[in-house]
Amino acid sequence: VAACAEPRLSLHFVDRVLCAAELNHLAAVIVCTKADLAPPGLIEEMRTIYTVPGYEVVPVAKGREEGVE
């Protein structure tokens, strides 16, 4: 789980967590909170980066049903 804004998203942090998951043979999904506050294009950029190696990027935001099941 990583905030897309406030504090600013660190892709380096996301990469480190994904590496730790891979090393421990754990499945990982990237959940981006505060998606409604994300800079324009950030969610799309993350999907471009992380879906190629097989990770799902799920944006969630307060008051929105997107990404919540």
Side-chain angles (χ1 to χ4, degrees):
V1 175
C4 289
E6 299 177 17
R8 184 175 168 208
L9 175 67
S10 167
L11 295 181
H12 179 70
F13 170 75
V14 174
D15 291 344
R16 288 184 10 229
V17 172
L18 292 174
C19 285
E22 290 289 334
L23 287 171
N24 289 287
H25 308 286
L26 300 172
V29 173
I30 302 165
V31 178
C32 301
T33 63
K34 302 182 183 179
D36 54 328
L37 303 176
L42 178 64
I43 301 297
E44 293 78 16
E45 177 185 2
M46 291 185 67
R47 285 187 171 137
T48 299
I49 294 168
Y50 294 110
T51 57
V52 171
Y55 299 108
E56 182 179 2
V57 176
V58 180
V60 294
K62 182 179 178 182
R64 291 177 31 194
E65 296 294 325
E66 179 184 351
V68 179
E69 294 180 17

